[in-house]
Amino acid sequence: MYYRIILICLSFLLLLNSCRKSNYSLDGDFVVIRDLGFGIGDRTLKAGTDYLIDGLVFVNDGQELVIEPGTVIRFKPGQAENASALIVARGGTILAAGTAEKPIIFTAEADDLKGSVPVYAQGLWGGLIILGSASINSPGGEAIIEGLPLSEPRAVYGGQFDQDNSGILRYVSIRHGGTNIGQGNEINGLTLGGVGSGTIIEFVEVVSNKDDGIECFGGTVNLRYLIVAFCGDDAFDYDLGYRGKVQFFCALQSPAGSDRMIEADGNSFEKQVVFPYSSPDFMNLTLVGYRNGQGDQIATFSTNAAGTIRNSIFLNQDNGMLLEYSAFRDNSYKQWIDGRIAVSNNIFFNVSDNTGDGIFRVHGINGEPTSTEDDLFGNYFSAAVNQIVDPGFLLSENLFRLNPSSPEVFTQLFETSDNWFIKVPYKGAFFQEDWVHWTLLGKRGILQIN
C-alpha cells in the first residue's frame, strides 16, 4: 500500500513537471511561451532565440525570469481574452538588465525591427506589468491591477513592504502595445503596481502604446532615464499613493493623438482622506506636447494628488498645470496650499497663452467658482521661479532635437538635498549627454541629442 501511495505521488509530480515544461513549444522560428496556470517558471530567455508570448504569461510568486541583454520578445496580437502580455506577479522577479549596445526589446509579433511596423502603430499587443508588495492607498491595502481580468488571483498587488524588490529593468524598449482587453480597458506600456524602492528601473523606452506610456499605482519605485513617445493617452500617470522619484524623463506627443503629459491622481473618496498621499518628486523632465486644440494639459493634479516638479522644460501644449478644486472634499488645490505640491524652477514655452496665470490654472470639480484660487495659483508661477523662455530646440513632426541653447536653461536651478537625484547644471532631461542613442527613436534619428 505504501508503495502504491509513493507511485501515485511520483506520477503526480512527473505530471506536474510535464505541465510546467509544456508552456514552451516551437512554431516555425519562434519559441512560443504560454501560461498554463503555473507561470513561466524559473527561466532564462536568451539572446539569439526568437520568443513569442501567446496570451497572458505570469512570472508567479517565487519565480525568477532572467532576460539576457539583446533578447527580443514578441507578443501575439489579440483583444479581450486573447490579449498577450507579460506580468510579474507579486513575489515574482524579473531580471532584464540590457545594455546600450544590447537592449532588451518587447514588441509586436509583426515587428521585424527593420521598419515592418510604423513608428506610430499602437495596440498590437498588451504590455509589461510588474506587481509588488509596497503600500498603496486603496481600501484594505490591496487592489487588482487594471488591464487584467478581475477573476485573476495573480493580478493582486500592494502590501506593507515599501522596500520590496521586483528586480531590474535596464535598457528595455517597449513598443506598439496597449491592446484592449475589455470595454475601454487598455494595457499601459509599463504598469507598476505597488512596486517597491528595491526595484531598479532605468533606461526604459515606451513607444506608441495605445494607453498610457507608464503608470504607477501606489508603491515607492524610483525611475530615471525614461523615454515615452507617441502614446494614445497620458505619458506618465500615477495614482493610489505613488511616492517614488523620477529624473531624466522625456515625453513626446504626435499627431497620432494623446492626452496629458502627466496625470496625477490620489484616490480621494468623497470627504474621506486616504493615506499615503500620491506625492512623487520629478526632476529634469523634457515634455514636448502637440497642440491640437483639444485642451490637453502638461499636468493635471486631481483627486487629492500631490507631488513636486522642478528643473524641467515644457513645450507646445494647449494648457499647462491644472489643479482640481472642490469645496466639499479634500482636493489637490488644498495639497498645494498645504505645501505638498511644488512646481518650481521650470521653463515653459508655447504653453497655453504663454502667460503665467494662463499656464497655472484651478478648476472646480463641481463647477465651483475659482477666481480667487485661480489668481493665487497664477501668481505662484513667478514666485516659484518659473519662466517663459524658448529653450532653443529644433522641432518638426519627425525630428526632436532636444539639446537646449538658451542660457536660461543653466540658471535659477532648484538645489535638492536628496542624494538619489543626480545633480546636473541644467534644466530638462538633456544637455549634451546622449543617453538615447540606443532607443528606437534614437536609432531612427527621430530623437537627437548633439
Side-chain angles (χ1 to χ4, degrees):
M1 180 176 179
Y2 292 113
Y3 291 109
R4 183 177 300 174
I5 294 173
I6 291 172
L7 287 173
I8 292 172
C9 291
L10 286 172
S11 298
F12 176 78
L13 289 173
L14 288 171
L15 177 62
L16 181 62
N17 190 53
S18 174
C19 288
R20 283 175 171 167
K21 291 182 177 179
S22 68
N23 62 358
Y24 279 55
S25 62
L26 293 176
D27 183 359
D29 295 331
F30 287 109
V31 174
V32 181
I33 304 173
R34 300 179 177 88
D35 192 327
L36 304 179
F38 300 102
I40 200 168
D42 290 326
R43 300 283 181 175
T44 296
L45 303 186
K46 296 183 175 294
T49 300
D50 291 320
Y51 296 99
L52 180 64
I53 287 185
D54 184 1
L56 301 179
V57 173
F58 287 78
V59 181
N60 281 1
D61 182 7
Q63 295 178 350
E64 180 177 273
L65 172 63
V66 179
I67 305 176
E68 290 186 347
T71 303
V72 179
I73 304 171
R74 293 178 173 88
F75 294 75
K76 288 187 71 66
Q79 305 289 322
E81 67 275 6
N82 296 316
S84 296
L86 178 63
I87 306 101
V88 182
R90 185 171 60 178
T93 302
I94 182 170
L95 299 176
T99 67
E101 295 73 28
K102 296 181 178 181
I104 293 166
I105 299 173
F106 296 87
T107 190
E109 180 181 13
D111 190 359
D112 64 2
L113 308 184
K114 299 176 182 178
S116 60
V117 175
V119 171
Y120 292 151
Q122 300 175 346
L124 303 184
W125 61 285
L128 175 59
I129 299 172
I130 303 178
L131 308 178
S133 300
S135 57
I136 66 176
N137 67 18
S138 182
E142 294 183 338
I144 300 289
I145 199 68
E146 73 171 26
L148 296 182
L150 295 176
S151 59
E152 174 55 70
R154 294 173 292 180
V156 176
Y157 67 99
Q160 300 297 322
F161 185 33
D162 284 344
Q163 294 76 40
D164 191 27
N165 182 356
S166 296
I168 300 173
L169 292 185
R170 182 182 290 129
Y171 290 105
V172 172
S173 180
I174 304 169
R175 309 172 181 180
H176 312 300
T179 192
N180 193 322
I181 72 153
Q183 188 173 3
N185 187 12
E186 295 92 7
I187 300 176
N188 305 307
L190 175 61
T191 300
L192 303 169
V195 176
S197 60
T199 308
I200 296 173
I201 299 181
E202 57 187 12
F203 297 102
V204 173
E205 170 192 48
V206 180
V207 177
S208 296
N209 199 76
K210 191 173 183 179
D211 198 37
D212 299 334
I214 299 173
E215 183 158 9
C216 297
F217 294 91
T220 54
V221 64
N222 303 319
L223 309 96
R224 59 164 58 110
Y225 298 113
L226 308 173
I227 303 292
V228 173
F230 317 143
C231 293
D233 200 354
D234 309 312
F236 195 106
D237 194 340
Y238 66 86
D239 200 351
L240 298 186
Y242 172 58
R243 304 171 315 287
K245 305 165 191 174
V246 179
Q247 188 179 23
F248 306 123
F249 168 42
C250 173
L252 309 176
Q253 292 182 329
S254 76
S258 54
D259 200 351
R260 305 170 183 88
M261 309 295 280
I262 296 176
E263 180 175 345
D265 292 305
N267 197 23
S268 171
F269 297 95
E270 298 182 352
K271 295 183 179 181
Q272 177 185 356
V273 179
V274 290
F275 297 99
Y277 292 130
S278 292
S279 55
D281 295 311
F282 292 90
M283 192 91 71
N284 294 102
L285 315 184
T286 295
L287 308 186
V288 182
Y290 186 85
R291 299 194 71 152
N292 56 12
Q294 300 300 308
D296 297 334
Q297 296 91 21
I298 292 289
T300 300
F301 291 85
S302 58
T303 59
N304 209 30
T308 68
I309 304 175
R310 296 176 166 119
N311 292 353
S312 298
I313 301 174
F314 309 107
L315 278 83
N316 300 350
Q317 196 75 323
D318 291 337
N319 289 295
M321 302 286 175
L322 185 66
L323 296 186
E324 191 177 71
Y325 169 79
S326 173
F328 307 104
R329 63 177 171 89
D330 283 275
N331 56 86
S332 292
Y333 178 79
K334 185 177 184 301
Q335 293 279 30
W336 173 66
I337 289 293
D338 292 343
R340 285 186 285 267
I341 290 178
V343 183
S344 70
N345 302 82
N346 302 301
I347 284 177
F348 295 80
F349 187 70
N350 196 27
V351 175
S352 185
D353 60 356
N354 254 4
T355 67
D357 55 2
I359 296 171
F360 281 21
R361 301 296 304 273
V362 176
H363 166 68
I365 299 173
N366 301 302
E368 300 97 329
T370 58
S371 57
T372 300
E373 292 79 10
D374 219 29
D375 288 344
L376 286 172
F377 192 49
N379 292 336
Y380 170 70
F381 182 91
S382 296
V385 201
N386 295 293
Q387 298 171 282
I388 299 170
V389 175
D390 184 349
F393 296 159
L394 178 60
L395 302 175
S396 67
E397 188 168 309
N398 295 304
L399 173 63
F400 298 81
R401 187 171 292 164
L402 300 183
N403 44 306
S405 59
S406 170
E408 302 298 335
V409 171
F410 310 99
T411 63
Q412 297 182 309
L413 298 170
F414 176 81
E415 297 290 338
T416 180
S417 59
D418 189 324
N419 290 328
W420 182 86
F421 288 103
I422 299 171
K423 294 178 174 59
V424 293
Y426 54 84
K427 298 172 184 173
F430 313 102
F431 176 42
Q432 293 178 336
E433 303 91 338
D434 182 2
W435 53 265
V436 303
H437 64 279
W438 66 274
T439 64
L440 172 65
L441 301 187
K443 290 181 177 179
R444 295 280 181 90
I446 296 171
L447 177 57
Q448 299 181 9
I449 309 298
N450 52 27

